[in-house]
Amino acid sequence: MIKNIITNGLYSNNAIFKQMLGLCPTLAVTTSAVNALGMGLATTAVLTGSNLVISLIARYIPKNVRIPAYIVVIACFVTIIDQMMKANFYSLHKVLGIFIPLIVVNCIVLGRAEAFASKNNPLYSLIDGISVGIGFTIALFILGSFREIIGAGTFFNMPVMLSSYNPLLIAVMPPGAFLFLGFLFAGKQFIDSKMKGEK
Amino acid sequence: MEHLLLLFVGAALVNNIVLSRFLGICPFMGVSKSTETAVGMSLSVAFVMTISAVVSFLIDKYILVPLSLEYLRTIVFILIIASLVQFVEMVIEKTLPELYSGLGIYLPLITTNCAVLGVALLNVQFKYSFIEMLIFSFGTAAGFGLALILFAGLRERIAYSSVPKYFQGMPIVFIMAGILSLAFMGFSGMVK
């Protein structure tokens, strides 16, 4: 069961590549690998906390008001993370801007609360929160790395391309986010069909 | 007056909420399969976005800031939006039943549209006055509608063309969105 939860969260049911949830932060903050990693970890923290709390209290919440109740729990964790990042990682907090408070309306978090945490025990929900969060972080990190390397010629702010390389600026601009994500999805479909062919 | 006009153009075209700020991507991808549903969605978003921006602006200015409770913004704003959506839904159901059946499922979905919460938060971040806030929120809503309806038109056309095998489905939709976003970048010289 636990192994299933982990592989589901990381790959086979990956929030971005498979379910296409939480696309707004995916496109907006992946201009560099560092930003992508920061956003992914902040979301993971919120997801883990909200999954744990919701699985503990789900049975006491009347069915009709469950969505507002979940949103309040999620908003509390988002506020905690927001204040914590402001205190400890000020420059990252500034770059990510309103996308930190907007984790509240990230469909991944509410989706896991409704689909998993409200029906499973706290341990499973905790593991589910961590693995879905890490799966999301990996997807963000891949997109962020591609965009940073091609768009700025750097990786984690260190130059990785030849000095004659002329950065393709479009990759770090808004249209680049859509184009690169489109190519990543195409790549995933290619890999999936090759894997099916081998079986 | 000119300043307000520029603010409107800036919000609707230059910093388009979907194509350059990346807010509200989920409904943008989700309900853009036909132009009809796109129109319904844009109208309901415009309605909720403007009203929720006004209400959250007033609550922020007259309750949260005087009591120095700014850190509660996220929680308060999302509750305002959620209750407002519920309220709007009930009012429309009672007074305009034909519009209600037209909008149907789109109304409750707006609660999780990050563009709505995003506009409320941006209004605070940019420190707008009341009238600026009103123009900005409405301009943003107009930009959302424009992008959504244009994109729905594009998607209806792409359904009839032959797409390379691995790009079928979502990949080509994203690449199209990228090209549309590229087109909108052409506006960026218009407003500083």
Side-chain angles (χ1 to χ4, degrees), chain B residues 129-151:
Chain B
S129 68
F130 185 80
I131 188 83
E132 284 173 333
M133 178 277 299
L134 207 58
I135 301 279
F136 179 78
S137 313
F138 187 66
T140 304
F144 178 80
L146 178 69
L148 189 62
I149 293 166
L150 276 180
F151 196 60

Side-chain angles (χ1 to χ4, degrees), chain B residues 22-23 41 44-45 49 63 71 91-92 107-108 113 116 121 127-128 130-131 144-145 153 160 165 192:
Chain B
F22 302 116
L23 295 173
M41 185 69 182
S44 30
V45 166
M49 195 182 265
I63 297 179
Y71 63 93
V91 169
I92 294 184
L107 274 170
N113 182 338
V116 178
L121 290 168
K127 300 192 174 65
Y128 283 143
F130 185 80
I131 188 83
F144 178 80
Y160 298 109
K165 190 178 162 204
K192 264 189 289 186

Side-chain angles (χ1 to χ4, degrees), chain A:
Chain A
M1 178 70 185
I2 289 179
K3 195 173 161 242
N4 254 348
I5 297 173
I6 295 177
T7 48
N8 259 339
L10 287 184
Y11 186 77
S12 48
N13 236 338
N14 187 291
I16 291 180
F17 286 120
K18 191 74 194 185
Q19 303 186 310
M20 313 229 175
L21 293 175
L23 291 172
C24 307
T26 309
L27 293 163
V29 301
T30 49
T31 46
S32 77
V34 181
N35 293 350
L37 214 53
M39 184 69 204
L41 293 179
T43 310
T44 308
V46 172
L47 192 54
T48 313
S50 70
N51 253 10
L52 179 65
V53 170
I54 286 167
S55 76
L56 285 170
I57 63 171
R59 75 183 95 151
Y60 306 110
I61 302 176
K63 205 140 187 70
N64 295 329
V65 295
R66 67 185 195 288
I67 301 287
Y70 295 165
I71 289 182
V72 173
V73 172
I74 295 166
C76 289
F77 277 101
V78 170
T79 309
I80 295 169
I81 298 290
D82 189 34
Q83 299 293 322
M84 208 190 74
M85 286 184 74
K86 211 174 190 170
N88 296 316
F89 307 100
Y90 187 69
S91 55
L92 185 65
H93 182 269
K94 211 160 179 164
V95 174
L96 298 180
I98 63 163
F99 284 94
I100 299 282
L102 283 178
I103 297 176
V104 177
V105 280
N106 188 324
C107 352
I108 299 174
V109 184
L110 192 60
R112 290 327 285 174
E114 170 73 5
F116 195 94
S118 60
K119 300 187 188 99
N120 286 283
N121 68 37
L123 177 69
Y124 286 165
S125 306
L126 188 74
I127 297 169
D128 179 73
I130 297 174
S131 42
V132 171
I134 301 285
F136 178 66
T137 311
I138 293 173
L140 281 187
F141 182 68
I142 295 174
L143 185 59
S145 314
F146 269 119
R147 287 183 67 193
E148 191 183 348
I149 292 172
I150 293 172
T154 59
F155 186 55
F156 281 104
N157 293 325
M158 307 224 278
V160 285
M161 302 297 249
L162 296 173
S163 57
S164 60
Y165 176 72
N166 205 354
L168 191 65
L169 207 58
I170 191 84
V172 288
M173 294 208 296
F178 287 111
L179 294 175
F180 273 64
L181 196 59
F183 280 112
L184 271 188
F185 282 151
K188 164 133 201 306
Q189 292 199 1
F190 178 74
I191 293 170
D192 281 357
S193 78
K194 282 279 171 279
M195 275 164 71
K196 256 186 217 140
E198 278 170 10
K199 262 174 203 171

